[in-house]
Amino acid sequence: MSEKLTKDAIDLSTLSIPRLFGRYFLPTLLGMLSISAMTAIDGIFVGHAVGADGIAAINICVPILMVVTGLGLMMGAGCSVVASIHMAQQKLKAARINVTQAWIFATMVISCCVWRDGHLACLGCVRTADNGLYNRLYDD
């Protein structure tokens, strides 16, 4: 198994920058094109099935999806880099702690988004009767 890994591995320290760019460019390009194609095809199907309201809903949701995807990629890449550095230094416990912290942080962010009403109530916010929005409650 290790022979297979060393045979297919890309040596980042000896290959030239243009060659490395070429090796990473095509998979990245194909991934981005597939995500864009998925969004366009989804818009076509929703446009035919639901109409203008469905396309408007997609246009509202896609930026939110991109932000969530970007945050997940940033957190995953950052966590993996830090964990890899610790593992290279033979600090397995520190690497596991970093990954655990990333999972706890992601769980907290997701729970705050999903159960927003409960979190806002714990912070002292109240829902007003006239508009249904949350306002901060101040004791005078």
Side-chain angles (χ1 to χ4, degrees):
M1 173 123 178
S2 64
E3 292 175 14
K4 174 104 171 107
L5 291 176
T6 57
K7 180 181 150 193
D8 295 337
I10 298 174
D11 189 10
L12 298 175
S13 62
T14 59
L15 290 176
S16 66
I17 300 295
R19 185 154 169 85
L20 285 172
F21 181 79
R23 282 244 170 122
Y24 285 112
F25 176 72
L26 188 62
T28 304
L29 179 69
L30 291 175
M32 291 175 67
L33 286 175
S34 66
I35 289 173
S36 298
M38 177 194 68
T39 304
I41 292 169
D42 189 37
I44 291 169
F45 279 107
V46 169
H48 283 293
V50 180
D53 290 339
I55 291 180
I58 287 177
N59 286 333
I60 290 171
C61 293
V62 166
I64 297 168
L65 175 69
M66 292 297 136
V67 168
V68 170
T69 302
L71 289 173
L73 287 171
M74 285 190 305
M75 197 167 62
C79 176
S80 66
V81 167
V82 172
S84 297
I85 290 171
H86 285 303
M87 289 174 69
Q89 297 170 347
Q90 303 299 321
K91 299 178 182 176
L92 249 48
K93 187 173 182 178
R96 289 180 178 147
I97 289 171
N98 286 331
V99 173
T100 303
Q101 289 173 340
W103 275 104
I104 290 171
F105 178 74
T107 304
M108 288 172 47
V109 169
I110 290 169
S111 68
C112 285
C113 292
V114 172
W115 295 290
R116 187 180 61 138
D117 294 346
H119 289 296
L120 290 174
C122 288
L123 293 172
C125 297
V126 293
R127 186 181 292 267
T128 59
D130 56 342
N131 60 9
L133 298 175
Y134 283 95
N135 295 325
R136 180 85 174 128
L137 177 65
Y138 291 101
D139 293 330
D140 292 334

